[in-house]
Amino acid sequence: MRKLFFIILAFPLLCSCAQPRVVDEVNMSQAIGYDILKNDNVEGMFVIPIFQQDKMGKYQILSGTSTTTSDVQAVVSKKADKPVLLGQTRIVLFSEKMVREIGITEITDYLYREPQLGNRVLLAVIEGKVKDVINTKPPNTNVNIGIFLSDLINQQNETGNGPDTNLHLFLRNALEAGGDSYLPLIKLINNEVAVSGVALFHENKMVTKVRTDDMFLFKTLVQHHWRGVYKFKLKDKKKSDIVVESIRSGSSYEVSQSESSPSITIKIKIKGQIKESMRSDNLTNRKMIKKIEREMEDDLTKQANRFIKDFQKKNLDPIGLKEKYHAKNKKMTYGHWKKIYPKMDINIETTVNIIQTGVSE
């Protein structure tokens, strides 16, 4: 009984630790965007939903300028009728200029330390000005631009060619020695917001990008996935377009333990179904299926070799080869990796298995 008495007595103390917030008494951000200005100041924008029954989907954008991203929230709160809080933030946007010139590690480290933000908040890079994207009207009037952008990226990650990423995953890779990681790219195309590729980072700064045509292969190199679409041209007279939808795809890695001639073999495996074919041939013909598999293998291998050579040239490792090599060579240092990686022998082996040709068969 005495123990029960002390437990009951502790409840009010535990409850008093929380600070209750009434939605109507705060500005609860659902998206944040940052642009860099000419004087190296940072402009921050906060997408704030309006919680009123007759204003579903309505929102306001509060903005402010400061020398640091961490101070922008305080600057905006000073000009607002209610304090700006980050507890509902789903996505944080950075301009490409900002992450190329200033870098991103310090900014994201501040976000990671912010107790109001969850580790699964999405990050994205904007080609152009964040302000232009933030002020774009979403096609669905029942949601604000912040919700639309987070749903757009999640949809690409779950059913499209976008690789999985969030604040936690990004920092896990970016803060390691070398700091290679990636984030989704977003762009305004004909006044519509669209995913335009993947931004690649090395040692704090964005250095290059993966375009949409290459995103399927990039996703296959960095993770196993069950969705995604790959389009290529068949080597026939008409150069017919073939579209293959992934059913199960991914890569495995074989690492040599030789110090004199280090090498890695990347084995890409694709199981998929033909989603669309511009050929009139009967796709139940096994000979035609074999031709499609073989030519898709050649196309992916050629594309992967181009990727790897470009990564080696830039000493960029977004697919995590350093960690895979280190797992077999424990004495390797990052300095040693920087010396051997640009000249390392990296082989590509691709296997494609078309297991379905569509419901029409």
Side-chain angles (χ1 to χ4, degrees):
M1 284 295 292
R2 186 172 179 176
K3 187 182 291 186
L4 180 62
F5 170 76
F6 283 115
I7 292 173
I8 295 172
L9 188 64
F11 275 132
L13 298 174
L14 293 172
C15 295
S16 64
C17 295
Q19 262 189 319
R21 297 284 189 178
V22 179
V23 171
D24 292 339
E25 296 177 359
V26 295
N27 285 311
M28 195 66 76
S29 168
Q30 292 188 331
I32 308 171
Y34 295 109
D35 273 324
I36 182 173
L37 305 178
K38 290 182 179 179
N39 55 3
D40 287 339
N41 279 353
V42 174
E43 181 181 17
M45 291 143 280
F46 298 80
V47 178
I48 310 293
I50 298 174
F51 294 105
Q52 293 181 18
Q53 191 171 2
D54 58 337
K55 294 185 178 181
M56 184 177 292
K58 299 292 183 181
Y59 60 96
Q60 59 180 325
I61 299 172
L62 303 179
S63 62
T65 303
S66 182
T67 55
T68 66
T69 54
S70 59
D71 187 49
V72 172
Q73 181 186 355
V75 171
V76 173
S77 289
K78 290 176 184 177
K79 301 189 298 180
D81 59 337
K82 305 166 190 173
V84 175
L85 301 182
L86 311 182
Q88 287 191 355
T89 302
R90 296 192 178 195
I91 187 168
V92 183
L93 310 170
F94 307 95
S95 69
E96 181 178 346
K97 182 180 180 182
M98 186 176 193
V99 295
R100 280 188 182 272
E101 295 181 4
I102 295 181
I104 194 171
T105 305
E106 292 83 0
I107 303 168
T108 49
D109 184 58
Y110 147 67
L111 295 173
Y112 197 67
R113 295 173 187 275
E114 172 56 61
Q116 295 180 35
L117 289 175
N119 293 340
R120 294 186 180 182
V121 65
L122 298 174
L123 308 177
V125 176
I126 304 298
E127 293 190 89
K129 292 184 178 180
V130 173
K131 192 172 187 177
D132 295 337
V133 171
I134 287 281
N135 285 285
T136 301
K137 185 178 180 181
N140 185 349
T141 56
N142 289 327
V143 299
N144 65 52
I145 187 65
I147 301 296
F148 173 77
L149 290 172
S150 63
D151 288 347
L152 172 66
I153 292 175
N154 282 325
Q155 177 270 130
Q156 278 293 300
N157 294 350
E158 294 170 7
T159 66
N161 294 342
D164 292 340
T165 183
N166 55 38
L167 176 60
H168 174 73
L169 294 175
F170 177 79
L171 283 181
R172 185 189 66 184
N173 296 324
L175 294 178
E176 289 184 357
D180 299 312
S181 194
Y182 50 86
L183 289 175
L185 271 172
I186 293 175
K187 187 178 182 179
L188 267 179
I189 303 174
N190 297 324
N191 293 320
E192 292 182 334
V193 180
V195 172
S196 57
V198 179
L200 302 183
F201 291 79
H202 178 65
E203 294 183 349
N204 187 33
K205 294 183 178 181
M206 178 181 167
V207 293
T208 188
K209 60 187 74 173
V210 176
R211 285 302 181 189
T212 51
D213 291 345
D214 297 329
M215 283 177 63
F216 176 86
L217 176 61
F218 182 78
K219 184 173 183 175
T220 303
L221 290 171
V222 299
Q223 69 179 84
H224 286 79
H225 60 97
W226 288 264
R227 300 294 291 271
V229 174
Y230 187 75
K231 185 179 81 170
F232 70 103
K233 288 188 179 295
L234 206 61
K235 295 176 182 177
D236 57 8
K237 292 181 180 179
K238 296 181 179 179
K239 293 185 178 180
S240 308
D241 284 329
I242 303 293
V243 180
V244 174
E245 183 177 39
S246 169
I247 293 176
R248 187 176 182 182
S249 302
S251 301
S252 58
Y253 299 82
E254 291 185 359
V255 180
S256 74
Q257 292 181 300
S258 171
E259 293 186 6
S260 58
S261 56
S263 66
I264 297 177
T265 299
I266 303 174
K267 296 185 176 182
I268 300 169
K269 293 185 178 180
I270 310 290
K271 285 186 178 181
Q273 63 177 353
I274 295 176
K275 190 171 184 179
E276 185 177 4
S277 170
M278 300 308 292
R279 290 183 60 91
S280 58
D281 303 62
N282 186 351
L283 292 180
T284 58
N285 184 333
R286 192 59 202 167
K287 186 177 180 180
M288 177 54 65
I289 296 300
K290 283 292 183 183
K291 176 180 174 63
I292 292 173
E293 290 175 342
R294 186 172 61 253
E295 293 196 14
M296 184 173 171
E297 288 171 354
D298 292 343
D299 198 65
L300 284 166
T301 301
K302 182 179 179 181
Q303 189 181 17
N305 278 317
R306 174 171 55 83
F307 261 14
I308 297 301
K309 287 178 181 178
D310 187 53
F311 292 160
Q312 288 179 291
K313 184 179 179 181
K314 294 180 171 73
N315 221 323
L316 180 65
D317 181 30
I319 62 178
L321 295 179
K322 174 169 61 71
E323 286 73 25
K324 295 173 177 63
Y325 187 80
H326 183 259
K328 292 289 184 70
N329 301 271
K330 299 294 186 182
K331 294 181 181 180
M332 185 201 73
T333 64
Y334 177 57
H336 181 59
W337 171 257
K338 287 175 70 175
K339 291 180 181 179
I340 66 172
Y341 177 54
K343 298 179 180 179
M344 179 179 284
D345 186 16
I346 301 177
N347 306 299
I348 309 293
E349 296 179 5
T350 307
T351 303
V352 175
N353 185 10
I354 304 295
I355 59 177
Q356 292 184 36
T357 57
V359 296
S360 61
E361 66 178 85

